Amino acid sequence: MIKRIECAYVPVSNVEKSAAWYEQVLGMRLRSPLEPGRGAIMVMEEGGWLFLLPSPDMTPLTFSTTGWAEDGQNFEMFPLCFETDKIYNLHASLKEAGAWVEQELRNEGSCGLQLNFKDPDGNKYQAWQQPANPEE
């Protein structure tokens, strides 16, 4: 009954600065002009939207879990994972912008290339790219 996630809502401390960062670093496009006190709609390459919304208490998108790491250790989880066909370019853009990147690109075999990062407000994400040969 549910087809896909159309959009996600992301808390930010400064909408204008965040919109510029998502454009410059992640390559998203601002959908419409910014209005004071309102959020920004960022459009991804294939049409999904991120709503950047002002958050006075600024609690970043992230949570702790023991269900992710193989050793059962506590892990700061990313609630959103983006797909890309340009993970090397994305990695370079994040590094150039001084963004927090958890580690270098990881080749997870049949799960493709993966990269964890944060935006300037501490919202944590993962980006992944399908393997060149999905059968690997």
Side-chain angles (χ1 to χ4, degrees):
M1 291 193 308
I2 294 176
K3 187 174 177 181
R4 68 174 173 255
I5 295 173
E6 181 63 26
C7 61
Y9 301 90
V10 177
V12 296
S13 59
N14 182 306
V15 173
E16 293 80 12
K17 285 183 182 179
S18 293
W21 189 88
Y22 279 74
E23 276 186 312
Q24 294 164 4
V25 179
L26 301 184
M28 294 183 187
R29 179 179 53 83
L30 183 63
R31 184 174 183 270
S32 54
L34 295 173
E35 296 178 33
R38 305 287 296 171
I41 300 171
M42 306 306 298
V43 181
M44 291 174 252
E45 187 176 306
E46 292 189 8
W49 293 6
L50 278 188
F51 284 77
L52 305 179
L53 297 172
S55 178
D57 59 351
M58 199 44 244
T59 303
L61 289 179
T62 183
F63 62 94
S64 295
T65 182
T66 57
W68 187 256
E70 288 185 25
D71 59 5
Q73 293 295 310
N74 203 29
F75 179 80
E76 182 186 44
M77 191 67 186
F78 45 88
L80 297 175
C81 178
F82 299 110
E83 182 178 358
T84 182
D85 292 329
K86 302 170 186 159
I87 201 160
Y88 293 102
N89 294 353
L90 174 61
H91 183 253
S93 181
L94 289 162
K95 291 288 227 182
E96 184 177 312
W100 179 90
V101 179
E102 188 172 58
Q103 35 183 299
E104 297 300 314
L105 288 169
R106 294 181 321 281
N107 186 336
E108 298 290 343
S110 64
C111 290
L113 298 172
Q114 298 179 6
L115 173 66
N116 297 342
F117 66 96
K118 292 183 181 180
D119 74 2
D121 284 305
N123 295 304
K124 189 173 183 184
Y125 303 111
Q126 182 177 76
W128 81 282
Q129 181 172 311
Q130 292 189 34
N133 180 359
E135 312 244 332
E136 290 179 358

